[in-house]
């Protein structure tokens, strides 16, 4: 540790080593990565103080603020629709891009339900960040870090992060670090809403990530195999084979449709002993697919009933390990419970001391800026218009997030070309037209080669609405073209063809 002793002797006795990160002139390493040493006492220019430092010091790594001659840094928190679309559109000749997210890929959520039953393989809906923005793996100043953001320090233009250990915290301690930024984009998404209902987090499975789909698939196949074990009681068999979906939005309906197709086409052939016992129940407090045309909703209800999906109107009051309780006191036993009741602000968003919209999202203006702090923007499901803008918060949809990401990428490119890319330099920069969202319509598959297509701008507006096989063909064609890379388009097309010819893969891996 001789270098520390020399470093301490030449350092002012009144300084803190931890303050090195906040002063870009104090960085002495030639690398873009810099290391600061944090401790609770003043560093003394004596050998005794240095020896004490060796016992108490804690490594705290990070990326230093950018200097003149270097490209300004855009820091993106999140790898969802909004964040990935922004990274795809950002001009990397102007900016360095750093992404922090607990996953290194983007999930193509419209097709996620298909992976739960083997219609598609999981890799078909996961697009690596490095393919979306190649500069992250090629440029010397651009990076991806597998981590969560724990704190935002907007005054010093830096975020505090902690690495993701994936359940290995007992053998692998999380590593803490800081990242300085010139522009910060909050695209950290939202969390599934549980409405404070007891037992949801412990017993239900959500459908938002690839690992959720993997868990659903393993649980479903496990229950099918356990139900054939000799000696199992009839009541227990019926419970294991009862799949309950809570939430009648597009995700819940699409999963119910995929599940019913799986039961009718694959379970009846390969699990003939229990084919008459497996059931699907869809629970919704109001009307299913409430954003769709009334005629389309009635068509969906009719088709789901034909597929064997039981629709129940009710409110879940409590979720227990093997049953849930409705508001009227009815007990609903289940073997698989999938929760799809919408989203709300994440715990990280709630912890930020930033203005919020009426729904608890990060408050933004018409240019995606967070008005109370400099150089901070928010897009996607974590953001919403402040009341002062006079605009209503946009729905938490993939097309909204994608459009916001594209808009903000163009805005940052304009700012960078005008010399406003660095921290504290955007004042007076012409921003151009504010963001305007135009709804392109909604689509949902309901199984049995049927789908709904609603191309109206709003529920009260006029436009094309259709249902049936043609709509299903449009649904598949549209999403195949929206998959981000040619590699994944090829995967999806081959998976669809393989499933059509040979059936779904029912291996429990």
């Amino acid at each position: 540790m001789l270098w520390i002793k020399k470093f301490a002797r030449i350092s002012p006795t009144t300084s803190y080593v931890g303050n090195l990160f906040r002063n870009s002139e104090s960085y002495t390493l030639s690398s873009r990565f810099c290391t600061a040493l944090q401790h609770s006492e003043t560093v003394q220019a004596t050998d005794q103080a240095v020896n004490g430092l060796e016992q108490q010091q804690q490594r705290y790594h990070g990326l230093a603020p950018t200097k003149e001659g270097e490209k300004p840094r855009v820091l993106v928190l999140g790898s969802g629709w909004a964040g990935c679309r922004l990274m795809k559109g950002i001009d990397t000749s102007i900016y360095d891009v750093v992404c922090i997210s607990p996953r290194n890929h983007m999930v193509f959520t419209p097709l996620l339900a298909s992976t739960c039953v083997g219609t598609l393989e999981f890799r078909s809906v996961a697009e690596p960040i490095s393919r979306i923005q190649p500069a992250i793996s090629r440029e010397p100043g651009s990076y991806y870090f597998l981590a969560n953001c724990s704190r935002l320090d907007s005054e010093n233009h830096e975020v505090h992060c902690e690495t993701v250990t994936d359940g290995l915290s007992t053998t692998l301690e999380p590593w803490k670090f800081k990242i300085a930024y010139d522009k910060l984009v909050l695209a950290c998404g939202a969390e599934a809403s549980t409405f404070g209902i007891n037992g949801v987090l412990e017993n239900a499975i959500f459908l938002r990530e690839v690992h959720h789909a993997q868990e659903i698939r393993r649980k479903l196949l496990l229950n099918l195999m356990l139900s054939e074990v000799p000696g199992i009681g009839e009541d227990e068999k019926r419970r294991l084979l009862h799949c309950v979906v809570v939430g009648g939005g597009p995700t819940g309906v699409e999963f119910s449709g995929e599940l019913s197709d799986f039961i009718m086409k694959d379970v009846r052939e390969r699990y003939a002993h229990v084919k008459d016992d497996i059931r699907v129940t869809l629970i919704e407090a109001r009307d299913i697919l409430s954003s769709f045309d009334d005629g389309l909703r009635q068509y969906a209800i009719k088709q789901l009933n034909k597929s064997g999906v039981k629709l129940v109107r009710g409110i879940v009051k409590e979720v227990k390990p093997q049953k849930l309780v409705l508001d009227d006191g009815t007990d609903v036993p289940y073997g698989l419970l999938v929760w799809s009741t919408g989203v709300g602000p994440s715990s990280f968003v709630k912890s930020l001391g930033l203005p919020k919209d009426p729904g608890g999202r990060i408050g933004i203006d018409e240019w995606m800026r967070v008005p109370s702090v400099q150089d901070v923007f928010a897009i996607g499901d974590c953001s919403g218009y402040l009341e002062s803008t006079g605009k209503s918060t946009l729905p938490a949809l993939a097309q909204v997030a994608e459009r916001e990401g594209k808009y903000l990428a163009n805005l940052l490119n304009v700012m960078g070309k005008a010399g406003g890319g660095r921290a504290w330099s955007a004042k007076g920069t012409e921003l151009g037209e504010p963001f305007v969202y135009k709804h392109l319509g909604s689509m949902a598959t309901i199984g049995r080669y049927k789908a709904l297509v609603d191309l109206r701008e709003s529920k009260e507006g006029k436009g094309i609405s259709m249902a049936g096989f043609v709509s299903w063909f449009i649904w598949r064609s549209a999403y195949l073209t929206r998959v981000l890379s040619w590699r994944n388009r090829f995967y999806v097309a081959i998976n669809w063809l393989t499933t059509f010819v040979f059936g779904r893969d029912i291996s429990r891996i």
Side-chain angles (χ1 to χ4, degrees), residues 76-80 99-105 129 144-149 164:
V76 183
L77 302 185
S79 56
C99 177
I100 296 174
S101 174
R103 69 183 188 199
N104 70 342
H105 59 273
I129 294 174
Y144 163 76
F145 298 125
L146 185 72
N148 285 310
C149 180
V164 175

Side-chain angles (χ1 to χ4, degrees), residues 314-334:
I315 299 173
V316 177
K317 287 298 183 182
E318 184 181 5
V319 177
K320 297 181 179 180
Q322 295 186 355
K323 67 178 182 180
L324 57 83
V325 182
L326 299 181
D327 55 340
D328 61 0
T330 303
D331 289 342
V332 182
Y334 65 84

Side-chain angles (χ1 to χ4, degrees), residues 356-495:
K356 304 293 197 304
D357 78 339
R361 300 183 184 183
I362 300 169
I364 57 173
D365 62 12
E366 297 94 327
W367 291 271
M368 307 289 119
R369 300 176 299 181
V370 180
S372 59
V373 289
Q374 283 287 320
D375 301 318
V376 178
F377 303 82
I379 53 177
D381 296 351
C382 71
S383 66
Y385 287 122
L386 291 167
E387 287 186 286
S388 58
T389 64
K391 293 187 174 183
S392 57
T393 296
L394 296 174
L397 298 174
Q399 62 174 296
V400 175
E402 184 183 31
R403 219 81 58 77
E404 289 180 345
K406 181 179 180 180
Y407 170 84
L408 185 55
N410 293 332
L411 179 64
L412 290 176
N413 291 340
V414 170
M415 292 174 63
K417 292 176 182 177
R422 294 204 175 275
W424 312 104
S425 65
K427 288 186 177 180
T429 303
E430 180 62 36
L431 299 178
E433 295 294 325
F435 176 74
V436 177
Y437 172 69
K438 183 179 179 180
H439 188 61
L440 298 180
S442 303
M443 295 186 292
T445 179
I446 53 177
R448 295 167 60 95
Y449 302 108
K450 303 290 194 302
L452 313 177
V453 174
D454 190 350
L455 301 182
R456 299 171 305 156
E457 290 188 23
S458 65
K459 191 173 181 179
E460 296 76 21
K462 295 182 179 179
I464 299 174
S465 298
M466 63 178 70
F469 176 79
V470 174
S471 298
W472 174 83
F473 183 80
I474 293 172
W475 175 86
R476 281 207 165 181
S477 302
Y479 282 137
L480 185 61
T481 60
R482 297 301 297 164
V483 174
L484 293 182
S485 68
W486 282 104
R487 184 196 71 158
N488 277 22
R489 289 173 193 167
F490 180 77
Y491 282 160
V492 170
I494 292 298
N495 287 167

Side-chain angles (χ1 to χ4, degrees), residues 138-435:
R138 297 175 184 172
E139 296 293 327
S142 296
Y143 304 96
Y144 163 76
F145 298 125
L146 185 72
N148 285 310
C149 180
S150 57
R151 187 166 72 87
L152 167 62
D153 184 355
S154 57
E155 292 185 3
N156 294 308
H157 272 51
E158 63 186 29
V159 295
H160 296 238
C161 306
E162 187 173 292
T163 56
V164 175
T165 57
D166 279 345
L168 300 176
S169 56
T170 55
T171 57
L172 181 64
E173 292 187 5
W175 193 259
K176 297 180 180 180
F177 59 96
K178 301 176 186 177
I179 304 294
Y181 63 83
D182 292 290
K183 305 297 179 187
L184 173 64
V185 179
L186 300 171
C188 40
E191 292 180 351
S193 295
T194 64
F195 305 102
I197 299 171
N198 292 332
V200 175
L201 292 175
E202 295 81 3
N203 302 299
I205 305 175
F206 303 105
L207 187 52
R208 295 181 54 77
E209 305 286 351
V210 171
H211 68 84
H212 292 151
Q214 291 172 328
E215 186 178 359
I216 290 171
R217 185 165 170 176
R218 286 179 59 83
K219 180 74 171 176
L220 176 61
L221 293 174
L222 175 64
N223 289 351
L224 280 168
M225 288 182 279
L226 288 178
S227 66
E228 291 189 312
V229 174
I232 191 170
E234 287 300 318
D235 290 341
E236 180 64 6
K237 179 188 290 188
R238 283 193 293 269
R239 183 192 69 79
L240 286 171
L241 295 175
H242 189 197
C243 304
V244 177
V245 183
V246 179
T251 300
V253 169
E254 288 190 334
F255 175 70
S256 299
E258 287 282 354
L259 192 54
S260 66
D261 272 1
F262 174 64
I263 292 169
M264 296 180 68
K265 296 177 183 177
D266 300 273
V267 172
R268 292 185 182 278
E269 289 183 9
R270 303 175 196 185
Y271 292 92
H273 301 99
V274 296
K275 65 180 181 180
D276 296 326
D277 296 312
I278 189 166
R279 298 168 295 145
V280 181
T281 298
L282 176 60
I283 300 175
E284 169 56 43
R286 299 182 181 86
D287 295 325
I288 68 167
L289 300 174
S290 57
S291 62
F292 283 73
D293 175 78
D294 289 340
L296 295 182
R297 288 197 308 102
Q298 294 302 319
Y299 180 85
I301 292 172
K302 181 180 178 181
Q303 290 300 317
L304 289 172
N305 287 331
K306 282 185 178 180
S307 300
V309 178
K310 181 182 179 181
L311 302 179
V312 175
R313 178 172 291 188
I315 299 173
V316 177
K317 287 298 183 182
E318 184 181 5
V319 177
K320 297 181 179 180
Q322 295 186 355
K323 67 178 182 180
L324 57 83
V325 182
L326 299 181
D327 55 340
D328 61 0
T330 303
D331 289 342
V332 182
Y334 65 84
L336 172 68
L337 176 60
V338 177
W339 195 270
S340 177
T341 58
V343 296
S346 66
S347 55
F348 171 68
V349 168
K350 292 177 183 177
S351 70
L352 296 175
L354 299 174
K356 304 293 197 304
D357 78 339
R361 300 183 184 183
I362 300 169
I364 57 173
D365 62 12
E366 297 94 327
W367 291 271
M368 307 289 119
R369 300 176 299 181
V370 180
S372 59
V373 289
Q374 283 287 320
D375 301 318
V376 178
F377 303 82
I379 53 177
D381 296 351
C382 71
S383 66
Y385 287 122
L386 291 167
E387 287 186 286
S388 58
T389 64
K391 293 187 174 183
S392 57
T393 296
L394 296 174
L397 298 174
Q399 62 174 296
V400 175
E402 184 183 31
R403 219 81 58 77
E404 289 180 345
K406 181 179 180 180
Y407 170 84
L408 185 55
N410 293 332
L411 179 64
L412 290 176
N413 291 340
V414 170
M415 292 174 63
K417 292 176 182 177
R422 294 204 175 275
W424 312 104
S425 65
K427 288 186 177 180
T429 303
E430 180 62 36
L431 299 178
E433 295 294 325
F435 176 74

Side-chain angles (χ1 to χ4, degrees), residues 83-93 95-99 127-139 142-144:
C84 286
R85 184 60 184 87
L86 177 132
M87 287 187 284
K88 182 180 180 181
I90 204 77
D91 189 343
T92 54
S93 67
Y95 294 103
D96 283 332
V97 180
V98 176
C99 177
E127 190 70 45
I129 294 174
S130 58
R131 288 183 178 271
I132 296 172
Q133 179 46 267
I136 284 179
S137 57
R138 297 175 184 172
E139 296 293 327
S142 296
Y143 304 96
Y144 163 76

